[in-house]
Amino acid sequence: MSIADSSPRSALAVADWRRTSRHLVTRLRQRRLPLLAVLVTMAGAGAFGLVTPRLLGSVVDLVAHGGDTAEVLSRVGWMAAAAIAAAVCAGLGIATAASVFESVLAALREDMIEKVLGLPIARVEEVGSGDVLSRATDDVDKVGEAIGKALPSVLMSGAGVVVTVIGLAALDWRFLLVVVAILPIYLTTGRTYLRLAPPVYAQERVAAADRAHHVLGPVQGLPTVRAFDLGARLSVRIDANSWAVVARSMEAAVLRSRLFGRLNLAELIGMSVILAVGFVLVGDGSLTVGATTAAMLFFLAMFEPIGRLMYVLDDLQSGAAALGRIVGVLDETTPTSADATSDDDGSGLVAERIEFGYTAGHPILDDVSVTIRPQEHVALVGVSGAGKSTLAAVLAGIHPPTAGTVRLGGVEVATMRDAARAHRIALLTQEVHVFTGTLRDDLLLGDPDADDERVWQALEKSGAADWVRTLDDGLGTVVGAHGHEIDSMTQQQLALARIDLLDADLVIVDEATADAGSAGAGRLEEAAATVLAGRSALIIAHRLSQAAAADRILHLDSGRVVESGSHDELVAAGGGYSEIWAAWMRGRDEL
């Protein structure tokens, strides 16, 4: 996909709230006992929390009736003990909740990463790496915030509200009128918020994903951006997507402001009801001033968890929107794959009548047929834009063809499991990644069971052994991010060593020597020839010396194979390849 047209064509799914809720409930059911302990300890914290306001009310009555200091101090002591007990219960509840929900988050993160890494490469490229990256990072972080902050608050608030309502009823059932007065406000506010917030937060997450996509594309293609002076054009696109995120965030902020305003209104009405009921009850002698004081303190104690519950709706909605995007990835289906143990009929790679295009109506490959027999080396030549790299990606199984078939050993490549295909077809491009860790670990990605002797054999073939011997820690040298710096040619040599360790049936080399200088390219060509010896290979030739050394050459032009034959045959034919060869030789003579 080009940088100029980097919008994803088919986004990953977003699970609806029912599917998202079922997923979360399923996770929590696996931790029933710890979750029950959370509920019990938080209910205990709420119950002990009511002791202080009730005793404060009794202190008011004692003072009003001339009670002695000893009784007041006794109640103060009980209040202190209750406060300590409430703090202990709350601490245990929060700690247990953190353990439960962090384990849920860890499992969710592991499943998410495993699913993303298991997605077909074609699917990742189709939806855009920005969308996948935002779900694996930003969305997981949002769910982590909701799980770590919102869910424990919901449990604690729910337990506190229930216990407080029971406490009000114990003082006098008429105090429950406050529940009748404020419940409709809370219900209306909650329902309105739950109706309006999900699409706003979902759109905010989508906008954030689009921003990540449009930022990541230019960063990954920075050389192209600079070469074609696309910086200003792409900055406008990034700016537009950034402001889209701001607009969605402002919509969410307006919703929050309205929520908080209605909560303050409910608090005012609730306190007014408590005062009115208390005034009537104290007036007719049904209740004491101290009990009414306790009722007001109870209400304030109840308002705090209710308010906290409403406040965390914001985090819950944001987390639910993010969780829906994650569950959408977890629900992503992958095509049925062939068994890795399928028999090989010895036919090599056979591609018949391949057609492919990144977008409908814009074919890049048209009716291409390629055969690479076992141990045969085939070179693919053609001008820039002819479709060489696209054909390599289709033959490697990265992109399934829109028409035609690609088979390796009689098995259709598109139906192979990714792991099986990666062990049978290796694709080496100009872009080589050095993984963080020791050099040994980096190389053993090709064959985790290889011993050091086998690793050194691969390094000798790739021409990197002498360089490794110069390192103080040898194979134990840390490479990758913040590790030992490796130049581009050595990276290619290490990649060749990994391919030798992988021992794939077919190796596709996509202009892997293009970025090396003349001397470096020659060394890489020799190393590649050594590693590829005895294996089938398709070599996209940046240097025609590679094509001349191949068993057979395919000349690709505008997505079609226009010539096929050995180097001598095609030069003698006087066609397009002959002209390319003559031009290349003139260039070498001028040097």
Side-chain angles (χ1 to χ4, degrees):
M1 192 183 301
S2 67
I3 294 176
D5 181 24
S6 57
S7 298
R9 294 186 292 275
S10 178
L12 292 165
V14 177
D16 59 27
W17 71 271
R18 289 186 179 85
R19 170 63 187 133
T20 303
S21 300
R22 286 199 301 268
H23 184 88
L24 183 58
V25 169
T26 299
R27 297 277 185 178
L28 293 176
R29 280 178 178 172
Q30 297 170 355
R31 297 162 177 83
R32 291 187 185 91
L33 291 179
L35 194 58
L36 179 61
V38 171
L39 294 174
V40 171
T41 53
M42 289 185 173
F48 283 117
L50 295 181
V51 173
T52 295
R54 184 65 187 94
L55 290 177
L56 278 174
S58 69
V59 169
V60 171
D61 288 335
L62 280 174
V63 173
H65 293 87
D68 59 33
T69 304
E71 292 185 51
V72 173
L73 292 177
S74 174
R75 282 165 172 74
V76 171
W78 282 110
M79 282 190 283
I84 294 172
V88 170
C89 287
L92 289 174
I94 292 173
T96 307
S99 174
V100 171
F101 296 129
E102 286 299 326
S103 64
V104 170
L105 177 62
L108 180 67
R109 190 188 298 271
E110 290 173 1
D111 290 347
M112 173 69 180
I113 297 301
E114 181 180 0
K115 187 68 176 184
V116 168
L117 292 177
L119 286 176
I121 297 176
R123 179 59 175 152
V124 174
E125 292 195 357
E126 180 184 16
V127 303
S129 55
D131 188 18
V132 176
L133 182 63
S134 69
R135 295 188 190 220
T137 54
D138 292 346
D139 289 331
V140 172
D141 289 340
K142 282 291 182 182
V143 173
E145 291 177 10
I147 286 179
K149 182 171 65 174
L151 282 181
S153 184
V154 167
L155 294 176
M156 183 174 291
S157 300
V161 168
V162 171
V163 171
T164 305
V165 169
I166 294 173
L168 280 173
L171 288 173
D172 192 291
W173 66 269
R174 282 164 287 194
F175 280 123
L176 294 181
L177 288 174
V178 71
V179 178
V180 177
I182 65 174
L183 187 60
I185 299 176
Y186 284 125
L187 290 179
T188 302
T189 301
R191 290 183 62 181
T192 301
Y193 188 78
L194 291 174
R195 176 172 55 84
L196 297 177
V200 171
Y201 282 107
Q203 290 166 5
E204 183 184 24
R205 301 313 306 156
V206 170
D210 288 341
R211 178 182 61 185
H213 178 78
H214 285 94
V215 170
L216 189 62
V219 171
Q220 291 178 330
L222 191 58
T224 303
V225 173
R226 290 174 174 171
F228 291 94
D229 195 22
L230 297 174
R233 177 180 172 186
L234 294 176
S235 294
V236 172
R237 181 180 295 174
I238 293 171
D239 184 67
N241 281 273
S242 297
W243 276 111
V245 175
V246 172
R248 298 303 182 190
S249 298
M250 290 301 296
E251 289 182 42
V254 170
L255 278 176
R256 289 193 294 270
S257 297
R258 292 175 179 173
L259 171 67
F260 298 153
R262 292 181 181 181
L263 293 181
N264 291 332
L265 175 63
E267 182 179 14
L268 173 63
I269 292 174
M271 292 177 67
S272 300
V273 171
I274 289 290
L275 288 174
V277 172
F279 179 81
V280 172
L281 294 178
V282 171
D284 64 14
S286 301
L287 209 65
T288 65
V289 174
T292 302
T293 302
M296 178 59 76
L297 294 174
F298 277 10
F299 172 73
L300 294 177
M302 181 175 69
F303 179 78
E304 193 275 333
I306 290 179
R308 186 169 61 235
L309 179 61
M310 300 300 287
Y311 289 153
V312 298
L313 283 178
D314 182 55
D315 295 311
L316 285 176
Q317 288 302 307
S318 183
L323 182 59
R325 288 165 51 80
I326 292 173
V327 175
V329 176
L330 297 179
D331 287 344
E332 184 84 7
T333 58
T334 53
T336 303
S337 303
D339 192 349
T341 60
S342 300
D343 293 334
D344 189 327
D345 63 6
S347 59
L349 181 89
V350 179
E352 297 179 331
R353 308 188 69 101
I354 294 298
E355 294 182 11
F356 178 78
Y358 292 103
T359 57
H362 296 82
I364 295 178
L365 302 177
D366 183 19
D367 196 26
V368 175
S369 295
V370 176
T371 300
I372 304 176
R373 293 180 290 272
Q375 300 186 23
E376 183 183 27
H377 290 185
V378 176
L380 185 63
V381 300
V383 298
S384 179
K388 302 186 299 296
S389 294
T390 299
L391 177 58
V394 171
L395 296 181
I398 294 176
H399 297 299
T402 52
T405 59
V406 181
R407 292 185 174 85
L408 180 64
V411 180
E412 192 166 349
V413 171
T415 66
M416 290 183 181
R417 292 189 179 92
D418 286 347
R421 186 179 66 244
H423 278 83
R424 299 196 64 188
I425 305 176
L427 176 62
L428 178 61
T429 68
Q430 297 177 45
E431 299 177 0
V432 176
H433 182 72
V434 178
F435 294 89
T436 299
T438 66
L439 181 58
R440 178 185 289 102
D441 291 339
D442 187 279
L443 294 169
L444 288 179
L445 291 171
D447 181 8
D449 298 326
D451 56 21
D452 281 2
E453 182 180 356
R454 176 70 182 90
V455 170
W456 279 107
Q457 290 176 357
L459 290 171
E460 292 288 355
K461 288 184 180 181
S462 68
D466 290 340
W467 172 79
V468 176
R469 291 190 183 98
T470 65
L471 302 176
D472 292 339
D473 296 325
L475 294 176
T477 301
V478 176
V479 295
H482 310 297
H484 188 89
E485 187 173 349
I486 306 176
D487 61 50
S488 58
M489 191 185 80
T490 305
Q491 289 180 20
Q492 289 289 351
Q493 290 176 315
L494 296 177
L496 285 169
R498 280 200 300 263
I499 284 180
D500 185 68
L501 290 166
L502 182 65
D503 196 23
D505 298 333
L506 170 67
V507 180
I508 299 176
V509 182
D510 187 358
E511 297 186 327
T513 65
D515 288 338
S518 298
R523 290 171 57 189
L524 283 178
E525 286 181 23
E526 293 176 5
T530 302
V531 171
L532 297 179
R535 297 185 176 92
S536 302
L538 176 68
I539 303 166
I540 298 179
H542 177 74
R543 297 163 61 88
L544 289 189
S545 57
Q546 295 173 290
D551 300 318
R552 189 158 45 90
I553 298 170
L554 299 178
H555 181 194
L556 196 68
D557 185 29
S558 299
R560 286 177 170 268
V561 176
V562 294
E563 291 180 289
S564 176
S566 68
H567 171 75
D568 292 339
E569 291 171 345
L570 295 185
V571 169
Y577 176 79
S578 177
E579 295 176 1
I580 295 174
W581 175 259
W584 189 73
M585 290 300 294
R586 283 196 300 272
R588 288 175 62 83
D589 291 339
E590 292 173 1
L591 293 176

